[in-house]
mmCIF file of all heavy atoms in Angstrom:
data_model
loop_
_atom_site.group_PDB
_atom_site.id
_atom_site.type_symbol
_atom_site.label_atom_id
_atom_site.label_comp_id
_atom_site.label_asym_id
_atom_site.label_seq_id
_atom_site.Cartn_x
_atom_site.Cartn_y
_atom_site.Cartn_z
ATOM 1 N N ARG A 425 18.664 73.647 -73.651
ATOM 2 C CA ARG A 425 20.080 73.272 -73.633
ATOM 3 C C ARG A 425 20.796 73.804 -74.862
ATOM 4 O O ARG A 425 21.944 74.248 -74.799
ATOM 5 C CB ARG A 425 20.229 71.756 -73.553
ATOM 6 C CG ARG A 425 19.812 71.170 -72.233
ATOM 7 C CD ARG A 425 20.394 69.794 -71.993
ATOM 8 N NE ARG A 425 20.853 69.128 -73.191
ATOM 9 C CZ ARG A 425 20.113 68.295 -73.909
ATOM 10 N NH1 ARG A 425 18.875 68.051 -73.567
ATOM 11 N NH2 ARG A 425 20.607 67.710 -74.964
ATOM 12 N N MET A 426 20.112 73.772 -76.003
ATOM 13 C CA MET A 426 20.699 74.296 -77.226
ATOM 14 C C MET A 426 20.957 75.798 -77.079
ATOM 15 O O MET A 426 22.038 76.300 -77.427
ATOM 16 C CB MET A 426 19.762 74.038 -78.400
ATOM 17 C CG MET A 426 20.274 74.551 -79.720
ATOM 18 S SD MET A 426 21.691 73.602 -80.308
ATOM 19 C CE MET A 426 20.906 72.033 -80.610
ATOM 20 N N ALA A 427 19.977 76.524 -76.554
ATOM 21 C CA ALA A 427 20.161 77.960 -76.340
ATOM 22 C C ALA A 427 21.299 78.216 -75.361
ATOM 23 O O ALA A 427 22.091 79.150 -75.531
ATOM 24 C CB ALA A 427 18.858 78.575 -75.823
ATOM 25 N N ASP A 428 21.411 77.371 -74.343
ATOM 26 C CA ASP A 428 22.441 77.570 -73.325
ATOM 27 C C ASP A 428 23.851 77.431 -73.882
ATOM 28 O O ASP A 428 24.780 78.080 -73.401
ATOM 29 C CB ASP A 428 22.240 76.585 -72.177
ATOM 30 C CG ASP A 428 21.146 77.031 -71.229
ATOM 31 O OD1 ASP A 428 20.748 78.201 -71.324
ATOM 32 O OD2 ASP A 428 20.692 76.224 -70.407
ATOM 33 N N GLU A 429 24.013 76.573 -74.866
ATOM 34 C CA GLU A 429 25.350 76.419 -75.442
ATOM 35 C C GLU A 429 25.824 77.726 -76.069
ATOM 36 O O GLU A 429 26.999 78.102 -75.947
ATOM 37 C CB GLU A 429 25.340 75.302 -76.476
ATOM 38 C CG GLU A 429 25.092 73.937 -75.858
ATOM 39 C CD GLU A 429 25.658 72.825 -76.720
ATOM 40 O OE1 GLU A 429 26.684 73.037 -77.381
ATOM 41 O OE2 GLU A 429 25.049 71.748 -76.717
ATOM 42 N N PHE A 430 24.929 78.426 -76.732
ATOM 43 C CA PHE A 430 25.301 79.698 -77.349
ATOM 44 C C PHE A 430 25.342 80.820 -76.311
ATOM 45 O O PHE A 430 26.170 81.731 -76.410
ATOM 46 C CB PHE A 430 24.327 80.036 -78.467
ATOM 47 C CG PHE A 430 24.417 79.077 -79.625
ATOM 48 C CD1 PHE A 430 23.470 78.080 -79.793
ATOM 49 C CD2 PHE A 430 25.468 79.151 -80.531
ATOM 50 C CE1 PHE A 430 23.558 77.185 -80.847
ATOM 51 C CE2 PHE A 430 25.567 78.257 -81.587
ATOM 52 C CZ PHE A 430 24.615 77.274 -81.740
ATOM 53 N N LEU A 431 24.477 80.751 -75.307
ATOM 54 C CA LEU A 431 24.532 81.744 -74.242
ATOM 55 C C LEU A 431 25.861 81.670 -73.498
ATOM 56 O O LEU A 431 26.388 82.686 -73.045
ATOM 57 C CB LEU A 431 23.368 81.540 -73.266
ATOM 58 C CG LEU A 431 21.991 81.974 -73.785
ATOM 59 C CD1 LEU A 431 20.896 81.527 -72.836
ATOM 60 C CD2 LEU A 431 21.943 83.485 -73.961
ATOM 61 N N ARG A 432 26.393 80.480 -73.379
ATOM 62 C CA ARG A 432 27.710 80.346 -72.751
ATOM 63 C C ARG A 432 28.759 81.091 -73.561
ATOM 64 O O ARG A 432 29.647 81.743 -73.008
ATOM 65 C CB ARG A 432 28.079 78.867 -72.622
ATOM 66 C CG ARG A 432 29.545 78.629 -72.329
ATOM 67 C CD ARG A 432 29.837 77.181 -72.030
ATOM 68 N NE ARG A 432 29.440 76.840 -70.683
ATOM 69 C CZ ARG A 432 30.102 75.978 -69.920
ATOM 70 N NH1 ARG A 432 31.192 75.397 -70.379
ATOM 71 N NH2 ARG A 432 29.693 75.695 -68.712
ATOM 72 N N GLN A 433 28.661 81.008 -74.875
ATOM 73 C CA GLN A 433 29.614 81.723 -75.723
ATOM 74 C C GLN A 433 29.480 83.237 -75.527
ATOM 75 O O GLN A 433 30.477 83.949 -75.427
ATOM 76 C CB GLN A 433 29.383 81.360 -77.190
ATOM 77 C CG GLN A 433 29.748 79.928 -77.546
ATOM 78 C CD GLN A 433 31.227 79.663 -77.322
ATOM 79 O OE1 GLN A 433 32.081 80.500 -77.609
ATOM 80 N NE2 GLN A 433 31.533 78.504 -76.776
ATOM 81 N N PHE A 434 28.251 83.728 -75.455
ATOM 82 C CA PHE A 434 28.054 85.157 -75.177
ATOM 83 C C PHE A 434 28.679 85.523 -73.835
ATOM 84 O O PHE A 434 29.337 86.547 -73.700
ATOM 85 C CB PHE A 434 26.551 85.484 -75.150
ATOM 86 C CG PHE A 434 25.935 85.629 -76.506
ATOM 87 C CD1 PHE A 434 25.057 84.691 -77.001
ATOM 88 C CD2 PHE A 434 26.236 86.733 -77.293
ATOM 89 C CE1 PHE A 434 24.480 84.835 -78.248
ATOM 90 C CE2 PHE A 434 25.661 86.891 -78.547
ATOM 91 C CZ PHE A 434 24.783 85.941 -79.027
ATOM 92 N N TYR A 435 28.438 84.668 -72.870
ATOM 93 C CA TYR A 435 28.914 84.948 -71.512
ATOM 94 C C TYR A 435 30.432 85.097 -71.477
ATOM 95 O O TYR A 435 30.961 85.983 -70.810
ATOM 96 C CB TYR A 435 28.463 83.813 -70.598
ATOM 97 C CG TYR A 435 28.770 84.017 -69.137
ATOM 98 C CD1 TYR A 435 28.008 84.879 -68.366
ATOM 99 C CD2 TYR A 435 29.819 83.329 -68.532
ATOM 100 C CE1 TYR A 435 28.278 85.063 -67.018
ATOM 101 C CE2 TYR A 435 30.103 83.516 -67.186
ATOM 102 C CZ TYR A 435 29.330 84.373 -66.436
ATOM 103 O OH TYR A 435 29.612 84.552 -65.104
ATOM 104 N N TYR A 436 31.118 84.239 -72.216
ATOM 105 C CA TYR A 436 32.588 84.267 -72.168
ATOM 106 C C TYR A 436 33.198 85.273 -73.137
ATOM 107 O O TYR A 436 34.389 85.541 -73.072
ATOM 108 C CB TYR A 436 33.150 82.872 -72.450
ATOM 109 C CG TYR A 436 32.989 81.947 -71.275
ATOM 110 C CD1 TYR A 436 32.253 80.777 -71.381
ATOM 111 C CD2 TYR A 436 33.565 82.255 -70.050
ATOM 112 C CE1 TYR A 436 32.100 79.936 -70.291
ATOM 113 C CE2 TYR A 436 33.413 81.423 -68.957
ATOM 114 C CZ TYR A 436 32.679 80.253 -69.088
ATOM 115 O OH TYR A 436 32.522 79.438 -68.009
ATOM 116 N N GLN A 437 32.393 85.838 -74.040
ATOM 117 C CA GLN A 437 32.919 86.815 -74.982
ATOM 118 C C GLN A 437 32.665 88.255 -74.539
ATOM 119 O O GLN A 437 32.916 89.189 -75.286
ATOM 120 C CB GLN A 437 32.302 86.596 -76.364
ATOM 121 C CG GLN A 437 32.760 85.302 -77.038
ATOM 122 C CD GLN A 437 32.168 85.126 -78.420
ATOM 123 O OE1 GLN A 437 31.841 86.097 -79.097
ATOM 124 N NE2 GLN A 437 32.020 83.876 -78.850
ATOM 125 N N THR A 438 32.164 88.433 -73.313
ATOM 126 C CA THR A 438 31.856 89.790 -72.841
ATOM 127 C C THR A 438 33.069 90.507 -72.260
ATOM 128 O O THR A 438 32.989 91.702 -71.968
ATOM 129 C CB THR A 438 30.763 89.739 -71.752
ATOM 130 O OG1 THR A 438 31.163 88.794 -70.745
ATOM 131 C CG2 THR A 438 29.443 89.323 -72.349
#
Side-chain angles (χ1 to χ4, degrees):
R425 291 200 341 267
M426 180 70 66
D428 281 346
E429 293 205 33
F430 293 102
L431 286 171
R432 165 172 282 215
Q433 291 298 320
F434 281 109
Y435 185 76
Y436 285 120
Q437 291 182 27
T438 52

